[in-house]
Amino acid sequence: MTSTITPDPSASAVISVEEQHFNDLIDADSRIEPRDWMPEGYRKSLVRQISQHAHSEIIGMQPESNWITRAPSLKRKAILMAKVQDEAGHGLYLYSAAQTLGATRDDMTDALIAGKARYSSIFNYPTPSWADMGSIGWLVDGAAICNQVPLCRASYGPYGRAMVRICKEESFHQRQGFEILLELMQGTEEQRQMAQDSVNRWYWPALMMFGPPDDDSPNSAQSMAWKIKRHSNDELRQRFVNMLVPQAAVLGITLPDPELHFNEDTQQWDLGVIDWTEFHEVLAGRGPNNAQRLQRRRDAHDNGAWVREAAAAYARKQSARTKEMAAS
Ligand code: 3HC
């Protein structure tokens, strides 16, 4: 069978048996597992995407944890705490998946706290009102589901399997956000305004979560050839907007895009122009909350040093005890 895979630039012109096997597995839509040979470019691309994804989950705990102590009821507080804990779990599954590719947890964490690693632009926006918990669930987790359900079929086994669990939880997150907004929209005029104001602030940044437009996305073509990504950034963004429009109608919320209109020819919702300058500013570290998010992550890392040291000391003692017992 002729392979559709673009050759790895680091590989020699002659395809080795291992590389042919890798290409055959990809062509057959099978899974690549940690024990399998893989091109260096494939491994690096996965570590890049999975570690960025893990960092996003961990940094993503911050905007919502801001509201745990101020949730409007015990029920809302319990739900929010569970959700923030879920995000921590997602980070851990993803760091573990990256570790199967040889990345170390320490290196990934160091890159994050040194400000050298990327994480999703969306988590650099502030959460000044309770309605933001609704918008994050509905829009941010909604966008995450759209982007991440196809990743359950990613060609790398540990990543795809981690995504299955993550997506199940994300769908609960999306629904709880929708329900917060629905309740606010059925409340007082002030509550309705709070919900609309929040959606006005989160809508465009949520669309940016899907990444730059296809003609400005350097990684997409190769990632799709390797079946890490299954759809392009613009395709998924469009799918998300098509999904949002009827949901916004149920909520009674206006999506803040005056150019949004239904295109009879394509049967899709055409959207207005995204402010890519804002996106690049946030990626360059100049978003509203970038500095604060990283500082909090660094503080948490420093404050947790004693836990890591205690765990390492305990592991050393256990290992010494095991050796002693084996020797006696
Ligand atoms: N925020 C920050 N960086 C972004 C970005 C965003 N919204 N969109 C793209 N980028 C970065 C890319 O990481 C890439 O950087 P790099 O080359 O330095 O690594 C660069 O911009 C160019 O973008 P590409 O389109 O070429 O990159 P990809 O092909 O990797 O596509 C992606 C970007 C769609 C985000 C893809 O990596 C992906 O699907 N990742 C997995 C999902 C993920 O990480 N989601 C983040 C949100 S986390 C989350 O949803 C948590 C939940 O609880 C809400």
Side-chain angles (χ1 to χ4, degrees), residues 45 48-58 60-61 64 83 86-87 90 94 118-124 136 140-145 147-148 151 159 163 166 170 173 205-214 216-221 223-224 228-229 231-233 236 276 279-280 282-283:
S45 197
R48 178 188 66 78
Q49 177 166 326
I50 300 173
S51 63
Q52 288 176 4
H53 193 167
H55 298 328
S56 306
E57 301 281 356
I58 296 298
M61 295 165 73
E64 288 175 290
K83 180 176 189 287
D86 284 352
E87 309 299 0
H90 298 174
L94 289 163
R118 288 203 196 284
Y119 59 87
S120 184
S121 50
I122 193 75
F123 300 118
N124 294 303
I136 290 185
V140 176
D141 295 299
I145 295 170
N147 167 256
Q148 293 172 19
L151 291 174
Y159 190 30
M163 291 315 305
I166 291 175
E170 293 296 1
H173 295 173
L207 297 191
M208 294 174 196
M209 286 174 71
F210 294 90
D214 291 351
D216 193 25
S217 164
N219 301 299
S220 278
S223 276
M224 285 169 73
I228 298 171
K229 279 169 82 160
H231 304 279
S232 78
N233 298 354
L236 291 174
W276 292 112
F279 172 76
H280 289 296
V282 176
L283 258 61

Side-chain angles (χ1 to χ4, degrees), residues 47-253:
V47 170
R48 178 188 66 78
Q49 177 166 326
I50 300 173
S51 63
Q52 288 176 4
H53 193 167
H55 298 328
S56 306
E57 301 281 356
I58 296 298
I59 296 281
M61 295 165 73
Q62 292 187 32
E64 288 175 290
S65 61
N66 184 31
W67 277 93
I68 289 176
T69 54
R70 293 177 290 151
S73 69
L74 184 59
K75 178 182 132 192
R76 292 291 181 201
K77 186 181 177 118
I79 294 172
L80 192 57
M81 280 171 63
K83 180 176 189 287
V84 173
Q85 281 176 358
D86 284 352
E87 309 299 0
H90 298 174
L92 297 186
Y93 306 153
L94 289 163
Y95 283 128
S96 300
Q99 282 173 289
T100 65
L101 291 154
T104 71
R105 179 79 181 271
D106 284 347
D107 286 349
M108 290 185 278
T109 304
D110 289 349
L112 176 64
I113 61 179
K116 291 182 187 153
R118 288 203 196 284
Y119 59 87
S120 184
S121 50
I122 193 75
F123 300 118
N124 294 303
Y125 290 85
T127 47
S129 82
W130 169 252
D132 293 335
M133 300 305 98
S135 294
I136 290 185
W138 182 45
L139 296 173
V140 176
D141 295 299
I145 295 170
C146 248
N147 167 256
Q148 293 172 19
V149 165
L151 291 174
C152 297
R153 293 188 295 120
S155 57
Y156 187 57
Y159 190 30
R161 288 189 288 273
M163 291 315 305
V164 172
R165 289 184 70 165
I166 291 175
C167 284
K168 282 186 186 156
E169 291 173 353
E170 293 296 1
S171 97
F172 148 72
H173 295 173
Q174 195 262 356
R175 272 177 284 164
Q176 68 85 40
F178 183 87
E179 204 256 333
I180 289 176
L181 290 177
L182 190 62
E183 195 164 319
L184 289 173
M185 289 305 287
Q186 289 167 353
T188 63
E189 182 51 29
E190 207 180 352
Q191 286 171 320
R192 279 195 290 277
Q193 270 176 22
M194 191 188 2
Q196 181 65 59
D197 165 70
S198 169
V199 169
N200 292 349
R201 285 181 288 104
W202 288 91
Y203 176 74
W204 291 105
L207 297 191
M208 294 174 196
M209 286 174 71
F210 294 90
D214 291 351
D215 54 13
D216 193 25
S217 164
N219 301 299
S220 278
Q222 183 62 79
S223 276
M224 285 169 73
W226 275 328
K227 296 183 181 167
I228 298 171
K229 279 169 82 160
R230 296 283 178 159
H231 304 279
S232 78
N233 298 354
D234 285 332
E235 241 171 41
L236 291 174
R237 192 170 7 252
Q238 181 67 61
R239 196 180 279 189
F240 178 55
V241 173
N242 291 346
M243 189 188 88
L244 281 185
V245 173
Q247 293 179 359
V250 173
L251 287 171
I253 272 183

